[in-house]
């Protein structure tokens, strides 16, 4: 039986959770969740100058909004510095690392001379093979003994075998002379201690993998499976920047995208399963595999995201959508819904969610249910309520008073009036919609009438008829 899968997301808390990070997190989450594995979170906060608690907070919030739940408590890398140092000393004790007493000046002088002589400027420490008896009583860094011949092969599940000549690798410092561990050591020790079996991350870390492998080898630890995924590009094929929408995920929440559509969309950014575009979380978990990750950078495509959003809205559970919509309102600083409006919106949800390309559009369609009498028409609706139209609506009102409040009867009444005026149903629907919703886009007039009920419908028509045009 193979070991259970453990993946992790290891963001550096120096800013918000951007879309590339969110996708990396999603891939790791899907991989673990689809295999009954664990998905862990590690905050790589060793760069004290650049890491902030606010950024950590924003990242956790972003992941939570996206619906990517992690197992256990997030691990702070900085809090594990002692353990990292301990491992460096173990490497020293086992002879896989050595004390290097070279000063910064000596390293600089080495490089300078190498440059002048046209040699590689990679530092070769004279202490690598020095007799410990010759060691001075001075501060030292711990360097790993890297192989100097042959090559290191990263068996990457996305990129294939990536070969790096060992003469390109220096004896990396693992513990600085002030006793602080380097990032490259911390990552490996943490991944090992957390039992990470699969490292899925951006291919900007591919070169790091070769150096990290030195630590795994020195400690005799099993390598995880590496999968370095191509970064996301903008629609123009260029490296992603803010201009393209390299925004924090919370911006996507504020733009009104539902998390399910985001997950679906992000999963498709660089991964595919046949021609499937729209899928559920369960399908994604079942289908997601490293083999389906492409080798070339995916391009951000808002049209696709909008389209998937419409599909996820239509398929979404009414109560869950309402709940998410309330999150959207809070995120955009809008007023919360009153109990009455909540209930009304829930009833209207089947009508208004259909193909809505975001919560903004859903709210626009739901305007009729979220507004009180007298309904104030917007400019276009006002134009639809000209004198002739209002005259027709005036005629319609008493007929509706007596109609049985069921779709077929309502349709009959409205059709008859339209016919009497030589109008198509569509022509009459327009002012009717304007009167009921104050908008020119809304669910169908009959759906609205049924939902609003007789009294409210008649009241709104009355208001429109008497309003000065
Ligand atoms: N902290 C690194 C980053 O935010 C990720 C390191 C890793 O995944 O190994 O880019």
């Amino acid at each position: 039986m193979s070991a259970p899968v453990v993946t992790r997301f290891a963001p550096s808390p120096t800013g918000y959770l951007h879309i590339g990070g969110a996708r990396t997190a999603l891939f790791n989450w899907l991989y673990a969740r689809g295999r009954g594995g664990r998905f862990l979170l590690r905050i790589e906060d060793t760069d004290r100058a650049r890491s902030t608690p606010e950024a950590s907070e924003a990242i956790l919030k972003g992941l939570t909004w996206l619906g990517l739940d992690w197992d256990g408590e997030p691990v702070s890398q900085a809090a594990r510095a002692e353990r990292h140092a301990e491992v460096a000393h173990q490497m020293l004790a086992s002879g896989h690392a050595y004390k290097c007493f070279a000063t910064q000046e000596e390293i600089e002088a080495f490089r300078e001379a190498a440059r002048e002589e046209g040699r590689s400027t990679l530092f070769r420490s004279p202490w690598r093979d020095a007799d410990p008896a010759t060691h001075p009583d001075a501060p030292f860094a711990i360097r790993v003994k890297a192989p100097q011949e042959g090559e290191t092969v990263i068996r990457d599940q996305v990129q294939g075998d990536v070969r790096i000549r060992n003469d390109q690798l220096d004896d990396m410092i693992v513990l600085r002379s002030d006793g602080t561990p380097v990032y490259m050591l911390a990552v490996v020790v943490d991944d090992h201690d957390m039992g990470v079996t699969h490292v899925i991350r951006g291919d900007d870390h591919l070169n790091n993998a070769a150096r990290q492998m030195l630590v795994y080898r020195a400690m005799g630890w099993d390598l995880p499976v590496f999968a370095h995924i191509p970064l996301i590009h903008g629609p123009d094929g260029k490296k992603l920047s803010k201009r393209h929408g390299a925004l924090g995920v919370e911006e996507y929440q504020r733009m009104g995208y539902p998390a399910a559509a985001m997950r679906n969309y992000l999963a498709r950014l660089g991964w595919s399963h046949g021609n499937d575009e729209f899928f559920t979380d369960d399908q994604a978990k079942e289908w997601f595999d490293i083999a389906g990750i492409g080798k070339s950078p995916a391009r951000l495509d808002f049209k696709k995201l909008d389209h998937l959003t419409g599909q996820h809205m239509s398929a979404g559970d009414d109560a869950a959508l309402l709940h998410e919509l309330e999150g959207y309102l809070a995120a955009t600083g809008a007023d919360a819904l009153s109990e009455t409006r909540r209930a009304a919106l829930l009833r209207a949800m089947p009508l208004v969610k259909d193909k809505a390309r975001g919560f903004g559009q859903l709210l626009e369609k739901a305007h009729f249910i979220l507004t009180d009498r007298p309904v104030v028409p917007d400019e276009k609706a006002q134009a639809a309520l000209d004198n002739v139209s209002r005259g027709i609506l005036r005629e319609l009102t008493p007929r509706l008073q007596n109609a049985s409040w069921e779709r077929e009867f309502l349709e009959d009444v409205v059709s008859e009036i339209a016919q009497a005026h030589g109008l198509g149903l569509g022509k009459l629907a327009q002012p009717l919609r304007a009167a009921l919703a104050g908008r020119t886009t809304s669910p169908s007039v009959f759906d609205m009438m049924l939902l609003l009920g007789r009294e409210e419908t008649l009241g709104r028509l009355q208001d429109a008829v008497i309003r000065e045009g």
Side-chain angles (χ1 to χ4, degrees):
M1 211 180 77
S2 55
V5 164
V6 180
T7 63
R8 47 61 159 192
F9 177 50
S12 306
T14 54
Y16 46 63
L17 174 63
H18 59 84
I19 191 132
R23 184 197 52 171
T24 299
L26 174 73
F27 279 17
N28 281 285
W29 180 80
L30 285 174
Y31 194 80
R33 291 285 179 261
R35 288 165 179 75
R38 286 160 58 74
F39 170 63
L40 308 178
L41 188 57
R42 179 172 73 238
I43 305 294
E44 301 212 314
D45 47 0
T46 46
D47 185 344
R48 302 314 274 169
R50 293 179 60 223
S51 303
T52 65
E54 291 76 25
S56 292
E57 206 45 50
I59 290 169
L60 300 194
K61 224 173 127 188
L63 290 172
T64 305
W65 172 67
L66 253 189
L68 306 184
D69 57 333
W70 55 91
D71 294 304
E73 286 299 312
V75 171
S76 156
Q77 187 159 67
R80 293 177 37 82
E82 261 180 52
R83 165 67 181 151
H84 304 145
E86 176 185 271
V87 169
H89 282 282
Q90 278 173 20
M91 287 162 62
L92 191 60
S94 67
H96 289 92
Y98 60 92
K99 296 180 182 177
C100 175
F101 297 89
T103 62
Q104 205 48 47
E105 292 73 38
E106 285 165 351
I107 296 172
E108 278 310 316
F110 176 96
R111 294 219 171 100
E112 189 58 32
R115 252 192 300 275
E116 273 170 22
E117 291 162 30
R119 284 185 287 118
S120 155
T121 54
L122 282 184
F123 181 59
R124 298 290 174 207
S125 171
W127 299 100
R128 179 173 162 123
D129 300 308
D131 180 352
T134 65
H135 284 178
D137 183 16
F140 59 87
I142 298 182
R143 287 183 185 269
V144 68
K145 250 184 210 168
Q148 294 179 324
E149 278 149 28
E151 55 183 18
T152 295
V153 184
I154 308 165
R155 300 212 179 282
D156 193 88
Q157 299 291 303
V158 175
Q159 315 281 341
D161 284 356
V162 180
R163 296 168 186 280
I164 295 178
R165 276 178 27 212
N166 287 336
D167 61 10
Q168 309 279 319
L169 299 174
D170 61 358
D171 288 348
M172 166 176 85
I173 290 182
V174 285
L175 199 72
R176 298 184 192 91
S177 56
D178 64 2
T180 57
V182 302
Y183 168 70
M184 218 63 89
L185 171 70
V187 172
V188 175
V189 175
D190 290 348
D191 279 341
H192 171 266
D193 290 0
M194 291 162 75
V196 171
T197 58
H198 293 70
V199 170
I200 305 172
R201 63 186 173 193
D203 66 8
D204 48 337
H205 288 283
L206 183 60
N207 284 331
N208 290 346
R211 315 189 87 205
Q212 291 168 357
M213 279 170 70
L214 296 175
V215 178
Y216 282 101
R217 294 249 162 84
M219 290 303 292
W221 290 339
D222 286 342
L223 287 171
V225 172
F226 285 116
H228 287 92
I229 50 185
L231 300 184
I232 302 171
H233 282 187
D236 54 3
K238 302 223 171 84
K239 212 173 155 253
L240 200 59
S241 70
K242 275 211 173 122
R243 181 169 52 88
H244 290 124
L247 312 160
V249 290
E250 74 278 5
E251 280 299 328
Y252 287 82
Q253 181 187 24
R254 282 198 281 271
M255 286 190 268
Y257 293 110
M262 268 323 269
R263 286 194 295 276
N264 185 162
Y265 177 68
L266 288 177
R268 279 288 291 109
L269 264 185
W271 170 79
S272 57
H273 179 265
N275 292 325
D276 293 303
E277 290 292 345
F278 170 82
F279 40 79
T280 63
D281 285 333
D282 285 345
Q283 285 170 318
K285 285 178 201 165
E286 191 187 322
W287 296 341
F288 187 83
D289 200 357
I290 294 172
I293 298 176
K295 272 193 181 181
S296 43
R299 293 187 185 196
L300 206 59
D301 180 348
F302 276 92
K303 271 210 199 97
K304 229 182 200 172
L305 173 57
D306 285 341
H307 187 69
L308 284 174
T309 294
Q311 288 177 285
H312 278 277
M313 287 285 196
S314 301
D317 171 75
D318 294 348
L321 284 176
L322 178 63
H323 181 70
E324 197 169 354
L325 175 109
E326 293 187 290
Y328 163 77
L329 291 174
T332 52
D335 289 342
L337 296 171
S338 67
E339 255 327 295
T340 330
R341 294 242 157 107
R342 260 191 114 251
L345 190 50
L346 189 57
R347 277 189 294 126
M349 196 56 92
L351 300 180
V352 298
K353 70 179 184 183
D354 195 39
K355 297 199 193 70
R357 301 202 156 194
F359 286 111
Q361 203 177 83
L362 187 151
L363 280 174
E364 184 66 18
K365 279 166 92 180
H367 181 75
F368 78 98
I369 200 90
L370 298 174
T371 191
D372 291 322
R373 287 183 56 199
V375 176
V376 181
D378 68 8
E379 209 175 313
K380 282 194 205 152
Q382 183 66 51
L385 288 166
D386 56 19
N387 281 339
V388 178
S389 303
R390 285 190 295 150
I392 302 174
L393 293 183
R394 184 175 291 119
E395 267 179 59
L396 181 64
T397 314
R399 301 283 305 275
L400 288 175
Q401 213 125 33
N402 302 317
S404 164
W405 214 253
E406 285 165 58
R407 182 180 301 268
E408 58 185 300
F409 295 111
L410 295 175
E411 281 176 0
D412 282 349
V413 171
V414 175
S415 297
E416 275 167 31
I417 299 278
Q419 257 167 26
H421 288 270
L423 294 173
L425 190 58
K427 275 272 183 288
L428 180 52
Q430 224 172 344
L432 192 48
R433 180 190 306 283
L436 295 178
R439 295 284 183 273
T440 44
T441 46
S442 74
S444 96
V445 289
F446 301 109
D447 282 331
M448 286 195 287
M449 287 160 89
L450 288 169
L451 212 76
L452 291 170
R454 185 197 309 270
E455 197 185 331
E456 182 70 18
T457 300
L458 291 175
R460 290 186 184 199
L461 289 178
Q462 204 85 48
D463 296 341
V465 165
I466 58 172
R467 187 182 297 115
E468 289 299 315

